Amino acid sequence: DDAHRGPISKVTFLHGEPVMISSGADNSIKMWIFDAPDGSARLLRSREGHSSHPLRIRYYGGVSRVSMRDSSDASSCEVISAGSDGTMRTFNTAIDTQNREFSQLPLLKKLGLSQRNLRLPDCVGFDVAESRERDWGNLVTIHRGQSAAYVWNYKNRVATDTILSQSHWKGNNLRHVPN
C-alpha cells in the first residue's frame, strides 16, 4: 500500500519514539509506528481536516519528552500542521475530540481584514516553544508573501494580535491598522 494518495510533502519523527508523522497531497496526516520485527512501519493513526495539503507538521510534546506512556494528560501528544489552505490545525494523537483549527480572527481584525472566510496566506514556516505556554503566545508563523511574523497562543488555539515586523522588512501585502 502507498503511504499517501499522491506525493508526500513532509516527514518528521517524534523525539525518542519509533513514530514517524507524514503529510501528503491527499490532505492527510498519518502516524506510522516502527514496531515490526523486520523494522517496517504500520499505520497507527490517520487524520484529515485541511481542505488542501499540509505544508508543515511538527509534534508538540517532544521537547518536554512527555508522552501518554508517562501517564501525562493528552495535551502533550499533539501534532501541529500548517496547510496550503491557510489554516493552522492541531490534532491529538490520543483523543480525536481534541482536534482543532486555530482561530485567526483577532489577527485578521488587527490587520483590518474582516471578510468572511478570509485567511492568512500559506504558512511556509513555524516554530513553537512549550515552556510557559499559559503566559504568552508561544507559536510564531511566517507566511508566503509576508514580511511579518505572527504570534499565536497554542493553549487557546488562537492567533494573538501581536505582529512581529521591522521597518526594513519588505513585501507585506496585508494591511495593518495601527492601535
Side-chain angles (χ1 to χ4, degrees):
D1 291 331
D2 291 332
H4 289 270
R5 294 179 316 272
I8 295 173
S9 57
K10 181 72 176 169
V11 176
T12 187
F13 279 91
L14 272 59
H15 179 79
E17 301 285 339
V19 177
M20 179 183 76
I21 303 169
S22 62
S23 64
D26 58 359
N27 304 347
S28 70
I29 297 172
K30 297 183 178 185
M31 292 182 65
W32 307 89
I33 186 163
F34 292 84
D35 62 353
D38 66 355
S40 62
R42 65 179 170 88
L43 183 63
L44 185 61
R45 291 192 179 274
S46 181
R47 297 285 186 271
E48 296 179 0
H50 288 284
S51 60
S52 189
H53 69 281
L55 297 171
R56 304 282 182 260
I57 54 174
R58 179 171 173 185
Y59 184 72
Y60 188 81
V63 175
S64 61
R65 298 183 186 174
V66 176
S67 69
M68 291 299 287
R69 69 178 180 187
D70 298 325
S71 301
S72 66
D73 67 14
S75 66
S76 62
C77 301
E78 297 172 327
V79 175
I80 305 169
S81 61
S84 57
D85 57 3
T87 62
M88 294 290 296
R89 299 185 70 85
T90 181
F91 82 81
N92 191 288
T93 61
I95 302 171
D96 291 342
T97 58
Q98 291 187 6
N99 300 342
R100 300 278 187 270
E101 180 178 330
F102 286 72
S103 172
Q104 298 183 9
L105 191 58
L107 178 58
L108 294 173
K109 281 184 178 178
K110 181 167 185 172
L111 292 169
L113 305 169
S114 58
Q115 296 172 353
R116 185 180 172 110
N117 297 325
L118 190 63
R119 293 194 171 116
L120 292 170
D122 300 353
C123 177
V124 295
F126 67 87
D127 204 359
V128 64
E130 294 178 50
S131 61
R132 300 187 65 181
E133 71 175 359
R134 289 181 172 90
D135 297 329
W136 49 66
N138 61 328
L139 172 67
V140 177
T141 61
I142 54 174
H143 297 262
R144 189 174 316 286
Q146 302 299 297
S147 61
Y150 303 105
V151 179
W152 305 68
N153 182 298
Y154 183 82
K155 181 182 181 317
N156 296 327
R157 313 295 196 265
V158 65
T160 69
D161 62 358
T162 302
I163 300 171
L164 306 175
S165 64
Q166 301 242 348
S167 59
H168 64 277
W169 292 357
K170 305 282 186 228
N172 198 11
N173 59 5
L174 292 178
R175 292 184 301 150
H176 175 258
V177 180
N179 293 331

